[in-house]
Amino acid sequence: MKKLISLIAVLFTFTSSILLSFNDNGKNVKAATSSTTIVSTKNNGIHDQAWSNKLAKAGYIFKLSKDVYASSGGLYPSDFSNHQPYSVKYAKKIYDKKMLFKIDRIKSVKNSTSIHVVSKNKKYRFWTNFLTGTYNIYGRRKALKPVIKAEIKAIRTTNKKTASRSLAQAVKATANLRGRNKKIASASLVQLQQWLNDKNFANMPLLLIGSL
């Protein structure tokens, strides 16, 4: 409880300075898609490496989403050089295995970001789309939904008051959690603060992957 109170105090102390960063950073950001979120386009190589390290450290907490077999091009071989996707039939077969994956590499290209995933049993390795290819398994926990909802609002808005309210809602929702859920939400709040300070994919809360 003391740790959470300290975290809340830090978040509120820096809220004002965090929100001021919207105007400064807004000049150097662009949309990841037309309706999702905003990211910095500077130094993509540096950001890719930083985020790759962050995701790999998170471990096997991701699963493939249904979008990998919704149409051709959802799942690619680990050898991405030939740019030939797996068939929809094969992608669905892999999805149906419900395996846990780790994201170990990120590759940013114009207007999109690809992620490289490795199955927990090490038998399967693929490339897929960052925004639609996987989801964080903890993001499906009912107890964490209020935190996720508030964090998404904070990320998507460019309005200072809305961002401030959303951040406060996320902190309040975290305070109501217990055990493992509180630990996950608290870590996500720290990552949200990092995102608000510097809007690039490397700083995005891992809990939100698959929920945006």
Side-chain angles (χ1 to χ4, degrees):
M1 184 64 183
K2 290 182 179 180
K3 290 183 179 179
L4 179 61
I5 292 173
S6 297
L7 174 61
I8 294 171
V10 170
L11 286 169
F12 278 118
T13 298
F14 287 98
T15 295
S16 296
S17 60
I18 290 170
L19 295 177
L20 287 175
S21 69
F22 278 124
N23 288 337
D24 293 335
N25 292 343
K27 297 177 182 178
N28 296 315
V29 298
K30 66 182 292 185
T33 68
S34 60
S35 62
T36 53
T37 187
I38 51 178
V39 298
S40 170
T41 58
K42 297 174 65 177
N43 302 320
N44 275 343
I46 296 174
H47 290 160
D48 286 355
Q49 186 59 54
W51 203 28
S52 294
N53 294 340
K54 178 180 177 181
L55 287 165
K57 187 177 179 180
Y60 298 93
I61 61 170
F62 302 97
K63 286 187 176 182
L64 297 179
S65 72
K66 290 182 178 180
D67 284 341
V68 298
Y69 69 86
S71 61
S72 179
L75 205 62
Y76 284 80
S78 185
D79 179 7
F80 202 29
S81 59
N82 58 13
H83 297 281
Q84 295 298 315
Y86 284 114
S87 67
V88 171
K89 181 178 180 180
Y90 180 78
K92 187 177 187 306
K93 178 181 178 181
I94 296 299
Y95 167 82
D96 288 340
K97 291 180 181 292
K98 305 297 182 182
M99 293 180 290
L100 288 173
F101 284 87
K102 174 174 71 174
I103 301 173
D104 65 349
R105 274 182 284 167
I106 298 290
K107 181 64 176 177
S108 296
V109 293
K110 188 175 181 180
N111 296 324
S112 68
T113 300
S114 296
I115 54 176
H116 185 263
V117 297
V118 181
S119 64
K120 193 171 183 178
N121 61 14
K122 306 295 193 301
K123 291 183 178 180
Y124 300 95
R125 299 170 185 268
F126 307 107
W127 284 96
T128 188
N129 183 273
F130 155 65
L131 289 174
T132 62
T134 64
Y135 66 90
N136 188 321
I137 58 175
Y138 298 127
R140 297 298 189 265
R141 289 190 177 184
K142 184 176 180 180
L144 293 172
K145 290 298 184 182
V147 177
I148 294 171
K149 183 178 179 179
E151 288 190 342
I152 290 175
K153 285 184 179 179
I155 283 180
R156 286 182 172 175
T157 188
T158 56
N159 181 278
K160 295 180 181 180
K161 291 184 178 180
T162 300
S164 180
R165 286 196 299 267
S166 299
L167 181 59
Q169 289 170 359
V171 171
K172 183 177 180 180
T174 298
N176 293 327
L177 297 173
R178 296 180 181 180
R180 178 65 173 167
N181 287 334
K182 179 175 286 187
K183 183 177 180 180
I184 292 170
S186 297
S188 190
L189 284 176
V190 172
Q191 292 168 1
L192 177 62
Q193 180 181 328
Q194 293 171 342
W195 163 270
L196 292 174
N197 276 319
D198 182 11
K199 302 176 187 67
N200 66 75
F201 280 157
N203 293 328
M204 181 174 291
L206 302 186
L207 184 60
L208 304 187
I209 295 177
S211 296
L212 293 170

